[in-house]
Amino acid sequence: MTDVLPQQILDRLGNMGDTLYRLNDGQQRLETEIKDLRNGQQQLENEIKNLSDGQKRLKKRCKRFTRWPKTLENEVKNLHDGQKCLEKEQAYLKSGLKELNELMTALLYRQDKTDAKLEALAMDVHNIQGEIASLKQGLYKLEKKVDSHYQQLNEQLNNIKLDVDFAVHKTTDNEREIYKK
């Protein structure tokens, strides 16, 4: 029985050695895993910081893009207001031209009716016709200027519309790129 007891103690010590070896090996694996987890955590923190920095940059860019359409809207509104003013002026000029045409028709009608004052009226009508021709020339030049300005404004408005469309598409493309990232 005395031989059995030391053998049992040796067996138990052998088992404890194996257990210690396994515990030590397990501890080393846990330490390696903890180190890997810490490295992974550091990488995640770096990625979160990079994402946060990118988000800040995108917010700044978005602020610039939100201000630009408002400026374009104001410019378009100003162009619309200017176009309305030109249209009013053009309507006023057309009304004046219509009145002048009516006046000329009335003068020609009276000329036929008043034979007695034919000589005096012929001179007056001649003078009036010169003034009307001058007015027509002035109106013609003014109409050409108004038409030219109107065409320029339309071209500028079309260019602005194209710029707004381009900005909208560019913003959409940028947002897609941002979304993809």
Side-chain angles (χ1 to χ4, degrees), residues 11-155:
D11 287 342
R12 280 195 163 185
L13 285 175
N15 286 339
M16 288 172 109
D18 288 342
T19 304
L20 278 174
Y21 176 76
R22 283 188 303 233
L23 286 173
N24 192 19
D25 186 48
Q27 182 179 359
Q28 286 178 353
R29 278 186 283 143
L30 283 175
E31 287 175 357
T32 303
E33 286 181 20
I34 289 171
K35 186 178 178 183
D36 290 344
L37 286 173
R38 284 186 181 153
N39 287 340
Q41 182 182 5
Q42 184 64 39
Q43 287 175 348
L44 285 174
E45 287 173 358
N46 289 340
E47 287 181 22
I48 288 171
K49 184 182 181 297
N50 289 339
L51 287 173
S52 179
D53 291 344
Q55 186 179 20
K56 288 176 186 174
R57 287 192 304 270
L58 286 175
K59 282 181 181 179
K60 288 179 185 177
R61 285 183 181 175
C62 286
K63 283 181 184 177
R64 279 190 275 144
F65 283 122
T66 57
R67 282 182 263 150
W68 194 57
K70 288 178 186 176
T71 304
L72 287 177
E73 286 176 14
N74 289 338
E75 289 182 21
V76 169
K77 184 182 180 285
N78 290 340
L79 287 174
H80 280 297
D81 292 344
Q83 184 179 357
K84 286 179 184 177
C85 288
L86 285 175
E87 288 172 353
K88 285 180 183 178
E89 288 179 21
Q90 187 177 11
Y92 178 75
L93 289 173
K94 284 183 180 179
S95 172
L97 182 62
K98 182 180 177 186
E99 287 180 25
L100 286 174
N101 284 335
E102 290 172 358
L103 179 64
M104 190 174 84
T105 303
L107 286 174
L108 289 174
Y109 177 75
R110 286 183 184 169
Q111 182 183 3
D112 290 339
K113 293 288 186 177
T114 55
D115 290 333
K117 296 182 180 181
L118 184 61
E119 194 70 33
L121 285 177
M123 291 297 282
D124 289 340
V125 168
H126 188 68
N127 288 338
I128 289 173
Q129 285 176 341
E131 288 178 16
I132 289 173
S134 174
L135 284 173
K136 279 185 176 180
Q137 257 185 344
L139 284 174
Y140 178 74
K141 288 177 183 177
L142 190 58
E143 282 179 347
K144 279 193 162 199
K145 283 183 181 179
V146 167
D147 286 342
S148 172
H149 289 301
Y150 182 74
Q151 288 174 351
Q152 288 174 356
L153 284 174
N154 273 339
E155 288 175 8

Side-chain angles (χ1 to χ4, degrees), residues 154-172:
N154 273 339
E155 288 175 8
Q156 290 174 353
L157 182 59
N158 287 336
N159 288 339
I160 289 172
K161 285 179 183 177
L162 290 173
D163 289 345
V164 168
D165 287 342
F166 174 77
V168 167
H169 290 296
K170 187 70 175 174
T171 301
T172 303

